[in-house]
């Protein structure tokens, strides 16, 4: 089992996740998101198996998010990627689990592809940048926020997962799990909003210095400062956007960030 397998799984998690953001059909979107969460669990288990083997893994990626214009184009590309990863899986119980999960996802995709009513235009990449009652200044502010915060949530998911895999402290393990789960929800929310604006894009790749943490105390203090900055951005956005539903959503995210700070203080 190697870092190459881990990298391929990392890429498949992102491909499945961003397919769920890109497709407008709510039933397909929801199902693909569930499968992306399964792929993320595969990453967690693979990472543990690699560490148990006295090896390590990283978050290097070698992928681009192609701007496909139909559901079927996205689904076919996803099926091709799932088929290609099979040869990388180890001949182990974990490898078998990943293969059977993947074969069920392939079955679901093949059912969708067999029925033309599931095909539709994909608008997630059209750069329209329109949102009901928002003017251009508000859309610019929202765009900047979504690009910055989607990267931050992606980064936090991976950093906390990396640290969780390496701790034997049960309190730390549980706090990391809570923070990973919360960041998944935020990334999902922001990814779907980016798709709605037509600006869906992958977050940039993480540098190893981001997640190989030497000083936990300093890392947590920096993380608290980052959450405080995110809270401020949420508040500014909520105040500047003249859309009641959106404003309430950003207030909601803001209050969640407050609790994240309390969770992080437990680590100290």
């Amino acid at each position: 089992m190697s870092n190459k397998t881990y990298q391929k799984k990392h890429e498949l998690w992102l491909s499945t996740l961003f397919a769920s953001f890109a497709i407008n059909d709510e039933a397909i979107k929801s199902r693909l998101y569930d499968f992306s969460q399964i792929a993320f669990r595969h990453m967690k288990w693979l990472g543990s198996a690699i560490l148990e083997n006295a090896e390590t893994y990283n978050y290097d990626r070698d992928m681009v998010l192609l701007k496909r214009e139909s559901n079927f184009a996205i689904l076919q590309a996803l099926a091709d990627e799932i088929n290609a990863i099979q040869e990388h899986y180890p001949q182990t119980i974990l490898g078998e689990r990943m293969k059977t999960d993947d074969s069920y996802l392939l079955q679901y995709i093949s059912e969708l592809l067999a029925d033309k009513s599931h095909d539709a235009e994909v608008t997630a990449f059209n750069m329209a940048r329109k949102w009901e009652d928002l003017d251009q200044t508000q859309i610019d502010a929202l765009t900047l926020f979504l690009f910055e915060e989607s990267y931050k949530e992606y980064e936090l998911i991976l950093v906390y997962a990396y640290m969780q895999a390496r701790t034997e402290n049960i309190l730390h393990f549980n706090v990391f799990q809570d923070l990973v789960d919360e960041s998944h929800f935020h990334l999902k929310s922001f990814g779907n909003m980016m798709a709605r604006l037509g600006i869906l894009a992958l977050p940039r790749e993480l540098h190893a210095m981001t997640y190989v943490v030497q000083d936990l105390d300093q890392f947590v203090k920096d993380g608290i400062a980052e959450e405080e900055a995110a809270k401020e951005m949420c508040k500014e956005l909520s105040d500047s956007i003249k859309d009641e539903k959106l404003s309430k959503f950003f207030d909601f995210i803001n209050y969640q960030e407050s609790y994240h700070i309390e969770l992080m203080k437990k680590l100290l």
Side-chain angles (χ1 to χ4, degrees):
M1 203 145 24
S2 67
N3 185 63
K4 187 71 178 170
T5 309
Y6 190 88
Q7 180 181 326
K8 294 284 181 194
K9 193 83 242 186
H10 178 188
E11 291 168 358
L12 183 57
W13 165 56
L14 285 174
S15 294
T16 313
L17 181 65
F18 277 74
S20 87
F21 297 157
I23 289 175
N24 289 320
D25 182 293
E26 285 297 335
I28 300 173
K29 179 188 283 293
S30 172
R31 198 78 187 279
L32 288 178
Y33 185 77
D34 288 345
F35 279 115
S36 79
Q37 290 294 91
I38 291 171
F40 188 79
R41 286 200 290 282
H42 291 176
M43 281 173 68
K44 182 178 180 179
W45 298 333
L46 261 176
S48 295
I50 289 169
L51 293 177
E52 283 166 14
N53 211 25
E55 295 171 6
T56 193
Y57 58 88
N58 59 45
Y59 289 134
D60 291 356
R61 284 183 350 217
D62 182 24
M63 68 181 295
V64 289
L65 188 65
L66 294 178
K67 298 182 176 184
R68 297 186 170 89
E69 294 177 3
S70 72
N71 287 359
F72 276 17
I74 286 176
L75 291 166
Q76 187 57 61
L78 186 57
D80 293 344
E81 188 175 346
I82 297 162
N83 281 314
I85 199 176
Q86 300 306 306
E87 65 181 80
H88 293 279
Y89 288 152
Q91 301 295 313
T92 60
I93 293 168
L94 172 57
E96 199 54 41
R97 162 67 196 259
M98 293 192 290
K99 282 179 186 171
T100 54
D101 284 353
D102 282 2
S103 71
Y104 190 66
L105 174 50
L106 282 169
Q107 172 65 28
Y108 173 63
I109 291 172
S110 71
E111 287 169 13
L112 293 175
L113 292 172
D115 181 349
K116 284 194 169 60
S117 71
H118 294 303
D119 201 10
E121 182 189 5
V122 165
T123 55
F125 309 108
N126 67 7
M127 305 298 282
R129 296 211 312 132
K130 294 272 189 285
W131 193 294
E132 277 131 37
D133 303 328
L134 301 192
D135 63 27
Q136 206 52 54
T137 304
Q138 292 167 25
I139 283 175
D140 288 346
L142 180 58
T143 299
L144 183 64
F145 175 88
L146 291 173
F147 272 104
E148 290 193 8
E149 290 301 296
S150 63
Y151 169 75
K152 191 200 90 169
E153 300 300 346
Y154 169 67
E155 174 194 69
L156 291 179
I157 288 167
L158 294 185
V159 172
Y160 292 135
Y162 194 88
M163 293 168 74
Q164 185 188 45
R166 288 159 176 76
T167 187
E168 292 180 3
N169 179 314
I170 192 70
L171 170 70
H172 289 184
F173 186 93
N174 287 334
V175 169
F176 291 141
Q177 186 62 55
D178 286 339
L179 290 166
V180 167
D181 291 344
E182 295 272 284
S183 291
H184 274 300
F185 172 71
H186 288 189
L187 180 57
K188 177 187 180 184
S189 302
F190 300 152
N192 282 321
M193 291 171 82
M194 290 174 87
R196 185 170 163 183
L197 282 168
I199 56 169
L200 187 61
L202 276 178
R204 65 187 181 275
E205 203 175 327
L206 263 64
H207 190 284
M209 286 173 68
T210 313
Y211 55 87
V212 181
V213 174
Q214 308 294 345
D215 181 343
L216 180 61
D217 271 17
Q218 190 55 49
F219 167 80
V220 173
K221 285 171 186 165
D222 291 345
I224 289 171
E226 198 174 9
E227 293 285 1
E228 293 282 10
K231 273 174 58 60
E232 198 53 44
M233 276 189 80
C234 270
K235 188 173 182 317
E236 284 174 15
L237 202 56
S238 175
D239 291 345
S240 71
I241 282 182
K242 304 296 178 266
D243 177 305
E244 195 177 350
K245 274 170 73 175
L246 262 184
S247 285
K248 282 190 161 45
F249 172 73
F250 286 114
D251 287 341
F252 159 69
I253 295 290
N254 182 19
Y255 297 139
Q256 291 194 338
E257 303 284 14
S258 298
Y259 191 68
H260 295 174
I261 291 168
E262 294 310 308
L263 285 172
M264 293 172 83
K265 285 178 180 173
K266 285 187 180 182
L267 295 173
L268 295 173

